[in-house]
Amino acid sequence: MKTSLIAAVLSVGLAFPSFAQDKILNVSYDVARELFEQINPAFAAKWKADTGRDVTIDQSHGGSSKQARSILEGLPADVVTFNQVTDIDVLAKGGLLDADWRAAFPNEASPYYSLPAFLVRKDNPKGIKDWDDLVRDDVKSVFPNPKTSGNARYTYLAAYAFALEKYSGDQSQAQDFVKKLFANVPVFDTGGRAATTTFAEKEIGDVLITFEAETGGIAKQYADKGFVRVTPSLSVLAEFPVAVVEANAKKAGSEEVSKAYLGFLYSPEGQKILAENFYRVNDEAVKAEFAAGFPDVKLVTVEDVFGGWDKVTAEHFAEGGILDKLFVNQ
Amino acid sequence: MTASAHVTAGALAPRESRLVPRLLIGLALLLTAVFVVVPMVYIFHRAFAAGWSVFAANIAEPGTLHAIWLTALVAVITVPVNVGFGIAAAWALARFRFPGRKALLVLIEIPFSISPIIAGICYLLLYGRQGLLGPWLLAHDVQILFALPGIVLVTMFVTSPFVVREVLPLMEAQGSEQEQAAVTLGASGWQIFRRVTLPNIRWALLYGAVLCGARAVGEFGGVSVVSGSIRGQTNTLPLQIDLLFNDLNIVGAFAAASTLTLIALVVLVLKAVMESRRG
């Protein structure tokens, strides 16, 4: 009995061996599983062709702040592919990578990007085209609670930036605009996934606001419902930063393959996979090929409109900040 | 028998006692149906909504298959250790009076009363890179967190009280007369344990082990903190369900969830059998 148990454990252990080959752990945000399931085999094939070596890429997905925390506590990530710049900054502060990590790769180390956009019901019965339409009395919007969801914070900032532009920079008019938007939300879910369920399965609301990349995936998932994707005239740039976790990669001897892996995201082949997954990219040829799926939009950055994440966190999202006022007084 | 007594016993009381129990039984059945049966049936309905072959393909997906295996492995390690710990602790508490006995009783029950996520965070703070033992572990290349040892440790912590709590009351109720008799007849310590103590507690022990196993298989919160969620390596079945669900892979999530539910149902049947044996 005892020996057979040990034998069973051993044999299962041998079924998942670690080969003497290249191996990296990519620690990533929570909705990127399908994306990297397509990226990883494509990179492995290229790595094999370039170097003749095999590479195994392990994936870990979770909320990107939680992932950063785990890496700080010893999760042996070789590379990170996150959806928040601040979560990589945390790793830099923890001494795991260089403070100027954004200079290591093109486009501020963000190989792809997205923006808050809309998903509306079949044939867009309410004629929703822009942020203006979301403050109409007959339109109900669905997005998660900006107090708990990073996704919804982008929505909040995009609506705020749109209103600032519309009212030529008048803060109080912009805040009234956002307040009206909040008043039109029937239910604030805690996260993006729950908001998607509210909109798509419980059929509550006229429009779901989330990242453009998400609206593509949701429309595909619920193809029978005929949801229509709508891109507003203005939105906020949402970056997806990447970095090699130098301390871990050095220890594991995986620096070269880690760098090549992240570099692959910038290659035409990588960019094409990204565009197929509804992320916007910078490669000109890929951009031209997928132009129909990505309507023109005026993109503003958190740095330009709100003075950076530290400032926006202190002014808007901190306890008693602008968000609290607009949220409570709705 | 007086007339009034006859009325109380024959007419009033029975009518009342028939109506109220029926109402209560009906209510209990309704609530059970709404809160337990319907969601459970729904899990299986959703898992098989796209057909048997899609269900099979989702279970056979390497990530899910590995999660099932890992979850089983964690239970296979956790349960025997906790059975050993449970017997030792129950025996010490039932047979001996010593200073700190009350404190030990309380300590053993701590995992029942605190949230598993606190256990996870404690282990993170203890074994993490920035934690108390972290730097030493790092220097010696010992990986505890974000690997099997961390998951097993947290699961052991969460499930440690089950066996003790089942065995201890029985040992206390039975007393030590039989063991004392065995001593006077010249039995050795091991003989007493094997021939007297163990047979007396075996059903409670098995019952505790089954509960411990069920809890180990389903543990989410604590494991979520220390697992690192590396697919195909440290993702347990509950974590895999969460991952698939967040991925909009509804059929996959429900397929994995139905597997976990099935394990729970098997455990439930085992538990019922043991309860009847235990009498």
Side-chain angles (χ1 to χ4, degrees):
Chain A
M1 168 67 197
K2 207 187 229 168
T3 26
S4 70
L5 188 72
I6 292 168
V9 171
L10 278 179
S11 66
V12 177
L14 290 171
F16 299 91
S18 51
F19 295 108
Q21 60 164 11
D22 291 315
K23 190 169 158 53
I24 52 176
L25 173 60
N26 175 12
V27 174
S28 191
Y29 55 98
D30 41 12
V31 292
R33 191 175 74 96
E34 263 187 51
L35 172 66
F36 286 103
E37 239 165 42
Q38 295 165 40
I39 293 277
N40 292 350
F43 170 72
K46 185 168 186 301
W47 184 248
K48 177 93 177 164
D50 288 354
T51 65
R53 298 213 296 270
D54 288 313
V55 59
T56 309
I57 302 143
D58 291 321
Q59 288 289 141
S60 166
H61 294 283
S64 98
S65 300
K66 180 187 171 189
Q67 296 288 65
R69 175 83 209 173
S70 295
I71 294 169
L72 282 179
E73 294 296 354
L75 180 63
D78 299 286
V79 300
V80 287
T81 49
F82 279 172
N83 55 3
Q84 290 276 352
V85 169
T86 43
D87 291 326
I88 303 189
D89 283 336
V90 164
L91 299 181
K93 272 177 209 147
L96 291 173
L97 45 86
D98 238 22
D100 67 341
W101 59 270
R102 303 207 72 180
F105 290 95
N107 298 317
E108 300 262 297
S110 179
Y112 52 103
Y113 63 98
S114 196
L115 46 117
F118 310 153
L119 191 67
V120 300
R121 303 216 172 268
K122 194 175 182 180
D123 300 327
N124 198 357
K126 299 261 168 112
I128 295 162
K129 293 207 166 55
D130 211 344
W131 296 101
D132 280 285
D133 297 310
L134 306 188
V135 298
R136 275 165 32 197
D137 291 335
D138 65 325
V139 171
K140 295 262 165 271
S141 309
V142 174
F143 56 89
N145 187 338
K147 292 296 282 182
T148 57
S149 157
N151 183 335
R153 289 184 176 200
Y154 271 106
T155 296
Y156 165 85
L157 293 174
Y160 203 104
F162 173 86
L164 277 177
E165 172 124 336
K166 179 175 168 153
Y167 300 111
S168 14
D170 187 305
Q171 293 282 347
S172 78
Q173 274 181 297
Q175 289 177 12
D176 281 344
F177 183 92
V178 176
K179 201 194 251 180
K180 245 189 242 163
L181 172 66
F182 281 156
N184 281 347
V185 178
V187 48
F188 283 104
D189 294 297
T190 51
R193 168 65 226 181
T196 301
T197 308
T198 298
F199 178 78
E201 294 195 5
K202 296 186 201 153
E203 309 218 323
I204 292 172
D206 304 303
V207 52
L208 173 72
I209 313 172
T210 182
F211 291 123
E212 188 184 50
E214 286 277 292
T215 65
I218 296 162
K220 208 165 100 182
Q221 167 82 19
Y222 296 97
D224 56 317
K225 304 216 173 185
F227 295 145
V228 180
R229 301 169 63 202
V230 174
T231 305
S233 66
L234 180 147
S235 200
V236 168
L237 172 72
E239 292 177 295
F240 292 81
V242 301
V244 175
V245 185
E246 287 153 26
N248 292 347
K250 195 171 276 175
K251 200 173 161 197
S254 63
E255 285 161 299
E256 188 197 353
V257 62
S258 297
K259 259 180 110 167
Y261 178 72
L262 295 183
F264 178 74
L265 296 171
Y266 290 89
S267 73
E269 198 186 347
Q271 297 263 295
K272 193 172 170 193
I273 295 172
L274 288 159
E276 282 165 358
N277 284 278
F278 310 104
Y279 289 100
R280 294 198 181 215
V281 296
N282 295 296
D283 185 275
E284 291 303 332
V286 176
K287 258 165 89 174
E289 188 185 342
F290 288 86
F294 299 111
D296 282 338
V297 54
K298 182 177 176 185
L299 278 182
V300 296
T301 64
V302 173
E303 281 74 23
D304 289 346
V305 180
F306 301 98
W309 279 107
D310 288 344
K311 193 154 176 260
V312 89
T313 303
E315 281 179 10
H316 289 261
F317 299 132
E319 209 67 37
I322 296 171
L323 172 65
D324 272 353
K325 283 183 203 134
L326 302 179
F327 207 52
V328 172
N329 296 339
Q330 59 169 295
Chain B
M1 190 178 276
T2 63
S4 71
H6 179 79
V7 167
T8 315
L12 256 178
R15 193 182 299 154
E16 203 175 60
S17 68
R18 229 177 276 149
L19 185 70
V20 172
R22 276 184 189 168
L23 211 75
L24 287 175
I25 291 168
L27 199 67
L29 281 177
L30 185 76
L31 290 180
T32 310
V34 169
F35 291 118
V36 181
V37 179
V38 170
M40 237 164 59
V41 169
Y42 187 66
I43 288 175
F44 286 99
H45 169 73
R46 285 300 292 260
F48 290 103
W52 171 255
S53 60
V54 177
F55 172 85
N58 271 292
I59 291 296
E61 196 266 327
T64 301
L65 217 53
H66 183 274
I68 294 171
W69 172 80
L70 177 64
T71 303
L73 178 65
V74 169
V76 162
I77 299 173
T78 305
V79 173
V81 171
N82 275 339
V83 164
F85 164 76
I87 293 173
W91 190 66
L93 287 165
R95 298 286 178 262
F96 301 95
R97 295 288 175 271
F98 52 89
R101 182 177 170 275
K102 282 256 160 62
L104 183 61
L105 258 171
V106 173
L107 279 176
I108 283 173
E109 293 211 332
I110 277 181
F112 265 158
S113 54
I114 71 168
S115 165
I117 195 151
I118 295 172
I121 290 171
C122 287
Y123 278 88
L124 199 66
L125 294 180
L126 192 59
Y127 295 106
R129 202 177 65 98
Q130 303 174 319
L132 212 56
L133 303 173
W136 187 87
L137 292 170
L138 199 68
H140 292 79
D141 252 334
V142 182
Q143 184 88 29
I144 291 197
L145 293 183
F146 315 113
L148 184 65
I151 297 172
V152 170
L153 281 174
V154 168
T155 310
M156 271 189 211
F157 175 90
V158 171
T159 57
S160 56
F162 284 98
V163 175
V164 193
R165 287 315 305 166
E166 290 304 321
V167 172
L168 180 59
L170 190 69
M171 274 192 165
E172 278 182 328
Q174 285 173 346
S176 57
E177 287 85 0
Q178 292 188 13
E179 284 157 16
Q180 282 168 5
V183 173
T184 59
L185 293 172
S188 72
W190 175 242
Q191 277 177 323
I192 295 171
F193 176 74
R194 221 164 52 90
R195 299 274 175 84
V196 181
T197 314
L198 202 56
N200 277 339
I201 60 164
R202 67 188 162 181
W203 290 114
L205 189 64
L206 272 175
Y207 185 68
V210 165
L211 283 180
C212 171
R215 189 72 186 77
V217 165
E219 172 52 24
F220 176 80
V223 167
S224 146
V225 178
V226 298
S227 127
S229 310
I230 306 170
R231 283 170 41 75
Q233 284 189 21
T234 64
N235 242 8
T236 60
L237 196 49
L239 295 179
Q240 178 75 2
I241 293 169
D242 185 53
L243 179 90
L244 291 170
F245 187 67
N246 283 324
D247 261 4
L248 295 173
N249 184 350
I250 304 296
V251 177
F254 276 99
S258 65
T259 309
L260 194 57
T261 310
L262 207 66
I263 296 172
L265 287 177
V266 169
V267 168
L268 205 69
V269 171
L270 279 177
K271 180 178 145 258
V273 169
M274 279 169 200
E275 252 177 341
S276 65
R277 288 290 190 101
R278 198 169 53 153

